[in-house]
Every structure is written in structure tokens, then in C-alpha cells.
Amino acid sequence: MKQFHLTLGSKEILTKVVAQHNDRNFLMLKPFENETDFLLLDFSDLPTVFKAGLSFNLLEGKFELLPNQIYCLDYFSLDTNQQKEFQQSKKQLLEKLSTFVLGQKPKRDFEFLLITNWSQIEDYQYWKSQQDIWQNKDLLNSNYVRYFNS
């Protein structure tokens, strides 16, 4: 797989998209709390079918859908110098993760997405607190997190 795509929307609309494109390897995730947007991921490595979605080049990953998990999406941007620092820290960041996907936007190559899954939100928070890279606000100055359930 070279690319993956995602979009947000209501369960009804995203269910229709899944039904219309049964050749895809979709993964739909439920909002974690009171949010209304479901997340639909397309891991088929085909051109996107989403009208208002995001596409990412797959940098690294080992991913599988596991039941009763919390999926955490960390979206961040890095300038050229920050990307060099991130490359040096990336192995340590990812080494203890059993499943993850790391993507980079094709045309806006300073934007990244890391998808991880956890059995409890506290496990994610502990992992994140143990990683120096997440504590470096000069490096990850635009970190945005969303949570979903499988």
C-alpha cells in the first residue's frame, strides 16, 4: 500500500459510500464521545472516492482492525528542519507500537498523520507522556488529536 484516504461524516452517508464501493478496504470508526462525525478510512491503495477527504502517502505502518479498541489520530505539521529531527526520533516513537499507520500528505508534505490503537485511553496518554517528541512543543507545535472507537 502506498496511500490511504480518510473522510469524516454521518454514519448514514458513510455507510452509503461503503455500499457503493465494495471493492475497497474500508474501516469505519465511531466517534469516541459526543461527536457526530464518523471516520471512514480507505486502505485499498486505489484513487480516492471521497469528495471531501484527506489523502496520505504511507510512510510506515503495521495495521489491523482490532475489536474494542480506541483509535487515536495525531495530526501534526513539521517544517523542513523539524522533519529532519522527526526522522531521528521516529524509530523510538514507533518501536513499542504493535499497530500504527504513519502518513504524510502528498502535496502538503509538511503535514503528517499518525494513527494508533489502544485498549484504554490511559494507555495512549501514558505512551504519549513517555515520548520526548510529544513533549517538545517547538517540534510538534500544531498537534491535533481525535479519538474513535472500533
Side-chain angles (χ1 to χ4, degrees), residues 28 51-52 56-57 63 82 107 111 113 139 146 148:
M28 189 180 314
K51 292 184 172 97
F56 291 90
N57 291 331
F63 193 78
Q82 292 168 330
K107 293 183 180 171
E111 295 181 21
L113 179 68
L139 178 60
R146 294 270 312 254
F148 295 89

Side-chain angles (χ1 to χ4, degrees), residues 73-126:
L73 281 69
D74 284 283
Y75 188 83
F76 52 96
S77 62
L78 304 169
D79 66 27
T80 304
N81 290 329
Q82 292 168 330
Q83 287 185 41
K84 291 175 187 172
E85 187 176 339
F86 179 72
Q87 287 297 326
Q88 294 172 353
S89 305
K90 184 172 65 169
K91 182 178 180 186
Q92 179 186 356
L93 176 71
L94 302 175
E95 71 183 351
K96 294 185 179 174
L97 298 175
S98 57
T99 60
F100 70 91
V101 173
L102 177 63
Q104 182 177 24
K105 287 189 91 177
K107 293 183 180 171
R108 297 174 55 112
D109 65 354
F110 55 90
E111 295 181 21
F112 296 83
L113 179 68
L114 177 63
I115 304 173
T116 56
N117 66 314
W118 307 87
S119 56
Q120 300 178 65
I121 195 78
E122 293 81 13
D123 295 337
Y124 164 75
Q125 292 167 338
Y126 177 78

